[in-house]
Amino acid sequence: MAANDKIIYIVAGGPKHLIPNSTFCEREGIVWIGVDRGVHYLLEKGIIPDLSVGDFDSVTHSEWEKIKAQSPSVNRYRPEKDETDMELAIIMALKQNPSAIKIFGATGGRLDHFMANALMLVQFQTPKSNVKIEIIDIQNAISVFSPGKYEVELDSQTKYISFLPLTAEVKNITLVGFKYPLANKTVHFGSSLCISNELIQQSGTFSFEKGILMMIRSSD
């Protein structure tokens, strides 16, 4: 696998029932990074993480001993630090020059952790970044976009598509191939205009000229 085809799965310690079961089946060519209790989840599934990151304050003593014994590369930090465990994991993942990073176990549980994880994508999904980063759970997929034009494919598992401005305004949003199309519409932060849209054909496009846009694909 070429370096620019590398896919990294980051598994964090959010509620385990929100992680799709299929996550642990797709093992061919995947680089695994466990974050805090997420390392324990991987070991339970028989997956040895390539890298383990965190302060590990959410694991028991016996779980920590197992992590130390079975993980080839453990980066343990003090709980008192400037970055969250997830931020450190993403930084380490990006240093490996992947084509995509998929993050699991980052939703549910504490709302502050979820919000920090979701909004953290803004920091890393910059116009200069060629790495696609997603936060995924059993019901949602979250990603962030800088100005440009993007294609989106129909997916019956996550048919609802919402767009949320993360800046004061997102200028000239155009949606093509959607049930509710838009043409050069400026949408302001906090607006619900672009919530719960759907594709009406196999693929569609969205584009905008200024701002930062979050896309959330969801199922009922």
Side-chain angles (χ1 to χ4, degrees), residues 148-194:
K149 184 176 181 179
Y150 305 91
E151 185 172 2
V152 57
E153 295 288 333
L154 183 67
D155 183 347
S156 60
Q157 298 301 312
T158 52
K159 69 175 185 176
Y160 300 111
I161 304 175
S162 297
F163 297 98
L164 299 175
L166 296 183
T167 45
E169 63 178 19
V170 173
K171 297 192 67 173
N172 295 333
I173 297 179
T174 296
L175 305 178
V176 177
F178 286 81
K179 184 176 181 179
Y180 307 109
L182 284 179
N184 298 317
K185 180 73 175 180
T186 294
V187 181
H188 293 87
F189 181 80
S191 170
S192 62
L193 176 66
C194 298

Side-chain angles (χ1 to χ4, degrees), residues 20-45:
N21 289 329
S22 60
T23 301
F24 305 107
C25 300
E26 303 168 9
R27 303 191 185 189
E28 185 68 29
I30 302 297
V31 175
W32 297 90
I33 297 180
V35 180
D36 205 82
R37 190 167 182 76
V39 180
H40 179 62
Y41 294 167
L42 288 173
L43 294 177
E44 283 185 321
K45 294 293 184 178

Side-chain angles (χ1 to χ4, degrees), residues 3-8 93-101 130-132:
N4 60 357
D5 291 330
K6 182 184 295 182
I7 299 176
I8 296 179
L94 288 170
K95 288 180 179 179
Q96 300 190 44
N97 190 32
S99 60
I101 298 172
N130 295 319
V131 183
K132 181 180 180 181

Side-chain angles (χ1 to χ4, degrees), residues 3-134:
N4 60 357
D5 291 330
K6 182 184 295 182
I7 299 176
I8 296 179
Y9 280 15
I10 297 176
V11 178
K16 190 163 48 175
H17 71 276
L18 295 179
I19 302 176
N21 289 329
S22 60
T23 301
F24 305 107
C25 300
E26 303 168 9
R27 303 191 185 189
E28 185 68 29
I30 302 297
V31 175
W32 297 90
I33 297 180
V35 180
D36 205 82
R37 190 167 182 76
V39 180
H40 179 62
Y41 294 167
L42 288 173
L43 294 177
E44 283 185 321
K45 294 293 184 178
I47 299 172
I48 304 299
D50 299 276
L51 182 64
S52 302
V53 181
D55 52 36
F56 297 99
D57 60 353
S58 63
V59 299
T60 65
H61 176 73
S62 62
E63 289 168 348
W64 169 240
E65 292 300 316
K66 182 179 179 180
I67 288 170
K68 286 194 299 180
Q70 297 190 27
S71 301
S73 179
V74 179
N75 291 262
R76 190 178 192 184
Y77 298 87
R78 294 174 58 87
E80 301 81 11
K81 57 187 184 301
D82 293 334
E83 302 88 359
T84 63
D85 294 340
M86 178 60 72
E87 186 172 0
L88 291 168
I90 296 174
I91 291 170
M92 292 177 182
L94 288 170
K95 288 180 179 179
Q96 300 190 44
N97 190 32
S99 60
I101 298 172
K102 297 186 178 185
I103 302 170
F104 306 90
T107 63
R110 285 179 52 174
L111 186 58
D112 56 342
H113 285 179
F114 166 67
M115 291 295 292
N117 290 335
L119 295 176
M120 193 184 301
L121 297 184
V122 176
Q123 175 186 170
F124 297 107
Q125 200 72 83
T126 66
K128 296 181 180 180
S129 174
N130 295 319
V131 183
K132 181 180 180 181
I133 307 176
E134 293 180 279

